[in-house]
């Protein structure tokens, strides 16, 4: 990860329950009688959670941030700052009205975390004129000492950096709680129960309003896939059930390998698959788009589905979960299964986000990162803004999101993405089109309009 311009392929790539959430909790995704468990144990064979941005570090250790035009000329890719994203998503009217996420808290969950996250965020904020904030770091479980020689730990540290910096960039007034879990190399298979346990505790103790998850594993890699609704996966949903009951919004990155995803031996399935937790009906799945912006952040072309050779936005139908009620209106697209993503934000590597990181002393500086784990924390900031606008937690937003897209009045802020597809690594994916599709979901957003519509 230390060399500039490294090109690689993804390795894996309110307190009351809302009516929509209640309906989903009553709906048993998978085999009849499969309950949402109150805890998860004996998960020895579970797949290891992988950061959605794995393999999508394009450059690192650079001495300065470059304009988009220079990136195009020198590196042959587009690069964007948070200020460009703010303009592209029309956030200025919200900030002017005092909607910054103030009074709201974003929970970010990452294995290991980063030992330099506060220092790096301070540098990031200074570069772009963003207000400083203090990240509240909670270590959950036995988090090992940071080892910059461990690719696993540095990969998660990079993910942590991306998540924190871009959640803060979009919702600068929101508090950030970073939960670092102790998933070591020898205990990697315990990662999901540990993460879900941490989330459940945070939810029960009202630590935050929206959870950003930039990790996942292919449904097919969970023990018992295709049998009884994959009970090993079903037993991990207890945190999401708690979130629905407490009105906490949960987000999940849809993946970075298009319509396919990773196997247990770090290859890619040669056919369409989906990944969890993105595929869970209690989670809002965040896909990826490619933005074409000038140096100021002005669009010079419509957004398209992210698919740039470095990766592609995840999307497709679940092999575990049946179609939830909020997707009944798009049954012609999803069939009888849960479809993903629900909405999409910037994720392209050719259109990468600037991050600052110093956890590796031999590779300190500015880097460029893409992936749906960029899109997910960005959207967590959007939810925090909407929570502030509403004056309360919005909880599971999927029913509201689909209702706005299908029946909302003009000005709902959902912007259709109608070009591109998520075919990847020889697997034929799905094409974007008018309305909902399995490449971009409902498309992307004009944040000023969307936040106001979502908050109503």
């Amino acid at each position: 990860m230390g060399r500039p311009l490294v090109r690689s392929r993804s390795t894996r790539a309110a307190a009351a329950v809302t009516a929509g959430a209640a309906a989903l909790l009553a709906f048993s995704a998978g085999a009849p009688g499969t309950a949402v468990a109150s805890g998860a144990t004996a998960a020895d064979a579970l797949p290891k959670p992988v950061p959605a941005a794995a393999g999508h570090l394009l450059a690192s250790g650079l001495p300065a941030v470059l304009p988009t035009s220079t990136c195009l000329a020198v590196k042959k890719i587009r690069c964007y700052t948070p200020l460009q994203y703010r303009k592209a998503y029309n956030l200025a009217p919200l900030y002017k009205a005092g909607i910054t996420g103030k009074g709201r808290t974003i929970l970010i969950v990452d294995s290991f975390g980063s030992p330099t996250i506060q220092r790096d965020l301070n540098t990031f904020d200074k570069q772009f004129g963003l207000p400083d904030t203090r990240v509240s770091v909670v270590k959950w479980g036995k988090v090992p000492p940071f080892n910059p020689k461990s690719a696993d730990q540095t990969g998660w540290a990079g993910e942590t950096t991306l998540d924190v910096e871009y959640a803060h960039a979009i919702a600068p007034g929101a508090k950030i709680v970073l939960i670092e879990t102790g998933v070591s190399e020898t205990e990697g298979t315990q990662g999901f129960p540990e993460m879900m346990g941490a989330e459940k505790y945070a939810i029960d103790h009202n630590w935050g309003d929206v959870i950003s998850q930039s990790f996942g594993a292919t449904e097919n890699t969970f023990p018992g896939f295709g049998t009884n609704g994959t009970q090993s996966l079903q037993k991990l949903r207890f945190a999401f059930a708690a979130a629905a009951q407490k009105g906490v919004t949960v987000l999940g990155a849809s993946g970075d390998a298009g319509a396919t995803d990773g196997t247990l031996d770090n290859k890619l399935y040669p056919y369409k698959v989906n990944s969890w937790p993105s595929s869970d009906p209690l989670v809002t799945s965040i896909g990826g788009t490619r933005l074409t912006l000038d140096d100021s952040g002005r669009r010079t072309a419509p957004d398209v589905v992210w698919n740039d050779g470095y990766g592609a936005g995840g999307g497709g139908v679940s092999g575990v979960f049946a179609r939830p009620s909020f997707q009944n209106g798009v049954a012609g697209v999803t069939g009888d299964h849960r479809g993903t993503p629900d909405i999409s934000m910037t994720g392209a590597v050719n259109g990468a986000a600037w991050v600052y990181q110093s956890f590796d002393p031999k590779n300190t500086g500015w880097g460029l990162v893409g992936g749906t784990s960029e899109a997910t924390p960005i959207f967590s900031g959007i939810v925090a803004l909407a929570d502030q606008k509403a004056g309360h937690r919005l909880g599971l937003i999927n029913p509201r999101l689909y209702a706005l897209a299908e029946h909302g009045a003009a000005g709902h802020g959902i912007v259709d993405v109608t070009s591109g597809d998520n075919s990847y690594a020889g697997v034929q994916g799905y094409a974007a089109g008018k309305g909902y599709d399995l490449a971009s979901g409902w498309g992307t957003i004009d944040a000023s309009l969307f936040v106001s519509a979502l908050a109503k």
Side-chain angles (χ1 to χ4, degrees):
M1 297 175 66
R3 293 178 297 164
L5 215 57
V6 176
R7 179 169 179 148
S8 58
R9 193 172 80 176
S10 173
T11 57
R12 282 263 191 117
V17 181
T18 66
L24 285 175
L25 285 170
F27 164 75
S28 177
T34 303
V36 177
S38 60
T41 58
D44 296 4
L46 288 176
K48 185 178 180 179
V50 174
H56 295 313
L57 176 68
L58 186 66
S60 60
L62 300 179
V65 172
L66 304 174
T68 302
S69 54
T70 302
C71 281
L72 275 171
V74 176
K75 300 187 178 301
K76 311 304 179 186
I77 60 101
R78 295 179 183 272
C79 57
Y80 300 134
T81 71
L83 303 183
Q84 289 171 282
Y85 291 141
R86 284 175 159 206
K87 182 167 183 177
Y89 289 120
N90 191 27
L91 283 157
L94 292 169
Y95 300 150
K96 186 176 181 179
I99 304 300
T100 64
K102 184 178 180 180
R104 297 293 134 187
T105 301
I106 300 170
L107 297 174
I108 295 172
V109 183
D110 280 310
S111 297
F112 307 126
S114 166
T116 60
I117 189 59
Q118 186 64 59
R119 183 174 71 204
D120 294 346
L121 179 61
N122 292 345
T123 301
F124 182 83
D125 289 345
K126 184 178 180 180
Q127 173 70 34
F128 301 115
L130 303 176
D132 288 336
T133 191
R134 173 61 57 179
V135 180
S136 179
V137 178
V138 178
K139 294 186 182 293
W140 182 268
K142 189 177 180 180
V143 180
F146 186 74
N147 177 9
K149 296 181 180 179
S150 166
D152 196 24
Q153 290 192 31
T154 57
W156 280 103
E159 179 61 67
T160 299
T161 303
L162 174 64
D163 291 347
V164 170
E165 290 180 353
Y166 277 85
H168 175 59
I170 300 303
K175 295 179 181 178
I176 295 179
V177 175
L178 170 63
I179 303 176
E180 302 175 345
T181 62
V183 188
S184 72
E185 280 289 348
T186 57
E187 296 175 329
T189 54
Q190 296 297 322
F192 276 119
E194 195 167 55
M195 285 174 158
M196 296 303 107
E199 290 185 15
K200 176 69 161 53
Y201 187 91
I203 292 162
D204 288 346
H205 291 80
N206 292 309
W207 284 4
D209 309 295
V210 53
I211 300 176
S212 181
Q213 302 176 120
S214 289
F215 53 81
T218 311
E219 290 177 336
N220 306 55
T221 60
F222 284 85
F225 176 73
T227 304
N228 296 326
T230 309
Q231 290 185 16
S232 61
L233 189 159
Q234 294 282 354
K235 290 178 180 178
L236 294 169
R237 303 183 68 224
F238 58 95
F240 303 156
Q245 292 173 332
K246 289 277 191 175
V248 175
T249 306
V250 184
L251 311 179
S254 70
D256 294 349
T260 185
D261 216 323
T263 65
L264 285 173
D265 56 357
N266 288 334
K267 297 180 181 179
L268 291 172
Y269 282 94
Y271 47 83
K272 298 174 183 177
V273 296
N274 211 320
S275 66
W276 186 87
S278 165
S279 65
D280 201 295
L282 294 174
V283 172
T284 300
S285 174
I286 313 300
T289 58
R290 177 171 59 84
L291 277 64
T292 306
L293 309 178
D294 64 15
D295 286 352
S296 73
R298 184 179 62 87
R299 277 184 175 80
T300 58
D303 297 4
V304 299
V305 176
W306 167 36
N307 194 338
D308 57 12
Y310 297 98
V317 294
S318 172
V320 176
F321 299 103
R323 185 185 71 245
S325 57
F326 62 79
Q327 288 193 316
N328 284 346
V330 296
V333 177
T334 69
D336 294 332
H337 303 272
R338 159 71 160 136
T340 63
D342 298 308
I343 198 75
S344 294
M345 304 293 281
T346 178
V349 179
N350 184 0
W354 284 104
V355 296
Y356 183 84
Q357 56 193 40
S358 63
F359 51 80
D360 181 353
K362 295 181 180 180
N363 196 32
T364 292
W366 292 96
L368 290 167
V369 187
T372 54
S373 54
E374 173 195 352
T376 305
I378 285 177
F379 197 79
S380 77
I382 298 296
V383 175
L385 299 178
D387 281 352
Q388 181 193 356
K389 177 80 173 178
H392 58 80
R393 293 174 179 169
L394 295 176
L396 180 69
I397 66 170
N398 293 351
R400 176 67 175 160
L401 172 62
Y402 280 73
L404 284 173
E406 293 173 332
H407 312 295
H412 52 53
I414 298 172
V415 181
D416 204 0
V417 172
T418 59
S419 298
D421 64 70
N422 63 356
S423 298
Y424 190 70
V427 176
Q428 183 68 39
Y430 304 92
K434 186 176 181 180
Y436 181 84
D437 55 67
L438 297 170
S440 70
W442 284 109
T444 189
I445 64 167
D446 175 315
S448 182
L449 297 174
F450 179 74
V451 165
S452 296
L454 190 64
K456 288 181 180 179

